[in-house]
Amino acid sequence: MDDGQDAAETSTFLVVDDEPVNAMLLETVLSARGFRVVTAADGEEAVARFQEHAVDMVLMDIMMPGVDGYEATRRIKALDRGGFVPVLFVTALTDEQRLAQCIEAGGDDFVTKPISRVQLNAKIDAWLRTRELYRTVVAQRDRLRSHQLRLEHEQETAERIVARATASNALETPGLRYFYQPAAILSGDILLAGRRPNGNLLLLVGDFTGHGIGAAVGVPGLAAVYYDLVSRGAHPAEMLDAINEKLFRSLPSDMFLTAALIEVDGRGRRLGVWNAGMPPVWLVQGEEIRHRFVSSDLPLGVERNTAPGRRRLTYVDVPDDCFLYACSDGIVEVAGEGGALYGDERVEAVLRAACQGAGFDDLLRQVEAFRAAAQASDDATLVEIDLDQAFANDGGGYGAAEAVHWRTELVLDACTLVHVNPVPPIMNLLSDLGAMEEDRQSLYVVIAELFTNALEHGVLGLESKIKRSEEGFEKYYERRREALAQLTEGEVRLRVHYDPRPDSRGVVIEVEDSGPGFEYQRILEAAKHGDVAGALAAGRGIMLVRSLCEEIEYFPPGNRVRVRYSGTLAG
């Protein structure tokens, strides 16, 4: 037997006929094949039997007293909620109109009288196979529906998690407007806003690769790191380094975050922007684009780069009546007729042509009108900041005392060096004591560079020349990890002295390590005379530190360095 016959052997048939001889004949044929048979003498009884038994197929006579076959079939089909029980009319009728009535009543096929055993068996096998196929499809549909419902529930749960992780009162800052539209339930776009202890508004507009659940998985972790760093007063440059390290360690190699980090400094009436892989960030005044902050760095999470201060914000003074606009590529890469993209040029044209404060609404209308597809194919985010309003509501500073004369020393032994990075705590101390907040970015670079040199070259004894190739760069940090894991002795001392007096205002930083030192005189001399190649040969960042600090002094044998940062040379 074929599969249909195998499945049919346990099937139950309902035979409906008011002629006992006809009913007996059909019962004999069906029983001979091993089917279970239930009989009914009229339509009313047929409906009752259908409700009492799990019927797989009905053989229905048409002309019966009382409830005829048409009406009985209609009732049976009404009772059949998705199980698909075929009804085969057994009839001697040949009138096409009568046969059409059978179909209208819900019948599936005909068996003509006198009954041919071969014809009957062939039709039974065909309809049992159809029934099994239907039930298989229904079962698959139900499994898919169940899976879809579970997936939607999980997506909704994830959406609530993401919404809670990214929520912030700073998004309600006067003058700040934003549009956020995911292409699916979840979005790879991210918009985070917070206030630093000095009152500055800090915004991160980002876009993880892809969209939907895969892109959104990194959002809660990123938001947690971001808000923790904001609350602790980390400078944006420090935050970018910390976020890059977090994403590099936690994301798969094919996933990264393009981002624009924006700092709004109300008291200084200035704006800082760092852009990596995002569309330009525009500073607009009337019909003029005053500044265009274009992408100038690699997205976050692409590579591990521990060089401190590489990611620096560009700061500009902001005149009156300016608006800032930032967006994700879901705005500039909207496709129009023929596949043409909306593009940066159209965005700028809209912003220049808009009336004061109307750029946000005008741009959204123009983008929607340009879109050829009915639905967005990518996540979209648009941010507008009325900078006059934002400056007027800078939130005020908190957690920072008036700057006073103070000094501190931090000593880290081998065990501590393995587990602790002292730079963030020192930066937090500088912020809490009100020391040169406006120069925090440059101070971070200086302190981090000096500490890194003391640890890697002084205590661990690593040679910078290893990093001169791409392969060497990876090898260098592999050796660094190995050396730290095996470190049992050595120390680094950091001394920080702040003098607030106007005639000597500045921060003196001294770093000393337990290493053997190095030939610092040659490097300092090369840097003094502009010999960049010679100065870079040591790989100890002397050129960078010297460019930021007013004074730099090494002490024999080269394991102690003192610098003075006054802010007068800060970039």
Side-chain angles (χ1 to χ4, degrees):
M1 289 185 180
D2 59 23
D3 292 340
Q5 290 172 313
D6 291 339
E9 299 237 345
T10 57
S11 298
T12 298
F13 281 69
L14 173 59
V15 174
V16 186
D17 201 310
D18 62 335
E19 293 290 341
V21 174
N22 292 337
M24 188 179 300
L25 174 60
L26 290 171
E27 184 177 2
T28 301
V29 173
L30 296 171
S31 298
R33 290 191 53 180
F35 298 138
R36 292 189 292 269
V37 180
V38 177
T39 61
D42 56 45
E44 195 72 49
E45 186 181 2
V47 174
R49 296 290 178 268
F50 184 85
Q51 292 176 295
E52 295 169 0
H53 300 275
V55 175
D56 296 292
M57 189 178 297
V58 179
L59 299 179
M60 178 74 71
D61 187 23
I62 296 178
M63 308 306 294
M64 294 181 292
V67 176
D68 61 16
Y70 299 129
E71 179 60 24
T73 298
R74 279 191 285 269
R75 294 186 188 182
I76 286 173
K77 286 294 185 179
L79 292 170
D80 181 19
R81 301 294 185 182
F84 184 56
V85 176
V87 176
L88 277 63
F89 282 103
V90 182
T91 178
L93 295 175
T94 57
D95 182 357
E96 290 185 359
Q97 185 175 355
R98 291 291 187 90
L99 294 177
Q101 282 183 275
C102 295
I103 300 300
E104 291 172 3
D108 298 290
D109 204 345
F110 306 94
V111 178
T112 59
K113 295 180 181 179
I115 295 172
S116 165
R117 185 187 296 265
V118 174
Q119 181 193 50
L120 177 62
N121 283 329
K123 286 184 178 290
I124 287 173
D125 291 339
W127 280 106
L128 285 176
R129 284 195 296 268
T130 301
R131 184 209 60 180
E132 290 304 315
L133 177 60
Y134 174 84
R135 292 184 177 179
T136 299
V137 171
V138 167
Q140 292 173 342
R141 180 205 64 190
D142 291 343
R143 285 196 295 270
L144 287 172
R145 182 179 295 166
S146 175
H147 176 74
Q148 179 66 22
L149 291 173
R150 185 170 62 253
L151 179 61
E152 289 176 359
H153 174 71
E154 291 173 354
Q155 287 180 326
E156 289 168 359
T157 301
E159 184 181 23
R160 291 195 297 270
I161 292 172
V162 169
R164 185 165 184 173
T166 58
S168 169
N169 291 333
L171 287 171
E172 306 304 319
T173 296
L176 171 63
R177 299 178 67 191
Y178 62 91
F179 169 82
Y180 177 79
Q181 182 182 66
I185 291 179
L186 292 170
S187 171
D189 279 10
I190 185 168
L191 175 60
L192 303 175
R195 287 198 178 274
R196 298 180 58 204
N198 64 0
N200 289 1
L201 176 65
L202 202 62
L203 287 171
L204 178 71
V205 183
D207 183 6
F208 281 102
T209 46
H211 53 267
I213 293 179
V217 292
V219 173
L222 170 60
V225 172
Y226 178 87
Y227 287 126
D228 178 61
L229 292 169
V230 170
S231 67
R232 290 196 283 112
H235 188 276
E238 303 168 54
M239 296 177 63
L240 292 170
D241 288 345
I243 290 171
N244 183 72
E245 177 67 17
K246 166 76 174 179
L247 296 182
F248 183 83
R249 286 189 288 105
S250 61
L251 295 181
S253 59
D254 60 345
M255 189 174 177
F256 53 82
L257 175 72
T258 60
L261 187 63
I262 302 165
E263 183 177 27
V264 180
D265 180 357
R267 282 169 293 182
R269 282 196 66 87
R270 65 174 190 158
L271 179 72
V273 177
W274 174 85
N275 188 345
M278 294 288 282
V281 176
W282 294 279
L283 179 62
V284 182
Q285 184 186 40
E287 298 180 358
E288 181 183 358
I289 304 293
R290 291 298 301 258
H291 202 94
R292 185 182 295 104
F293 300 90
V294 298
S295 174
S296 59
D297 210 337
L298 286 175
L300 297 170
V302 171
E303 66 175 14
R304 168 175 281 160
N305 189 324
T306 58
R310 167 188 146 177
R311 303 170 183 86
R312 304 184 67 182
L313 279 70
T314 299
Y315 286 90
V316 298
D317 294 327
V318 179
D320 293 339
D321 303 322
C322 281
F323 288 76
L324 183 81
Y325 294 92
C327 66
S328 65
D329 58 12
I331 297 292
V332 298
E333 294 183 3
V334 165
E337 295 293 339
L341 301 183
Y342 194 75
D344 300 348
E345 296 80 5
R346 287 187 177 89
V347 172
E348 292 189 11
V350 172
L351 296 180
R352 286 197 302 266
C355 297
Q356 189 81 342
F360 184 86
D361 295 321
D362 285 358
L363 182 56
L364 289 179
R365 279 195 297 267
Q366 294 287 345
V367 167
E368 190 60 33
F370 181 84
R371 188 195 316 276
Q375 292 184 334
S377 60
D378 196 5
D379 310 318
T381 301
L382 174 65
V383 176
E384 176 194 74
I385 306 176
D386 180 338
L387 290 168
D388 284 346
Q389 282 197 56
F391 289 156
N393 296 273
D394 66 0
Y398 65 89
E402 290 296 326
V404 294
H405 194 284
W406 56 265
R407 67 179 68 240
T408 186
E409 179 176 10
L410 187 63
V411 181
L412 298 96
D413 62 12
C415 182
T416 307
L417 288 170
V418 173
H419 302 289
V420 175
N421 175 9
V423 180
I426 292 175
M427 297 306 301
N428 290 341
L429 179 64
L430 288 168
S431 178
D432 290 342
L433 294 175
M436 305 182 72
E437 173 62 29
E438 68 277 11
D439 293 300
R440 187 179 174 99
Q441 179 169 247
S442 295
L443 279 168
Y444 168 69
V445 173
V446 171
I447 296 173
E449 187 69 34
L450 294 178
F451 171 72
T452 298
N453 290 340
L455 172 63
E456 295 180 358
H457 306 306
V459 176
L460 300 180
L462 300 174
E463 293 290 338
S464 290
K465 62 184 179 181
I466 301 174
K467 293 189 288 185
R468 292 179 185 173
S469 67
E470 183 176 344
E471 297 79 9
F473 191 87
E474 290 295 328
K475 183 183 296 184
Y476 178 88
Y477 285 103
E478 180 60 33
R479 290 188 181 179
R480 183 184 188 277
R481 286 189 290 271
E482 293 174 353
L484 268 179
Q486 299 171 6
L487 187 65
T488 57
E489 59 182 21
E491 70 174 26
V492 174
R493 293 175 177 265
L494 297 98
R495 305 179 184 95
V496 183
H497 170 210
Y498 178 65
D499 188 342
R501 292 173 297 180
D503 58 340
S504 58
R505 179 175 180 267
V507 179
V508 175
I509 305 153
E510 185 173 317
V511 180
E512 181 178 2
D513 64 70
S514 57
F518 72 110
E519 296 181 16
Y520 60 91
Q521 298 94 338
R522 177 174 58 83
I523 308 303
L524 287 175
E525 193 65 23
K528 181 179 179 181
H529 291 90
D531 180 5
V532 177
L536 292 177
R540 291 176 182 252
I542 293 177
M543 289 286 283
L544 176 60
V545 173
R546 190 174 184 276
S547 69
L548 294 172
C549 295
E550 190 175 16
E551 300 172 5
I552 180 170
E553 181 180 7
Y554 276 89
F555 299 89
N559 64 341
R560 181 162 69 99
V561 60
R562 179 190 298 148
V563 301
R564 178 181 179 81
Y565 180 88
S566 65
T568 57
L569 300 178

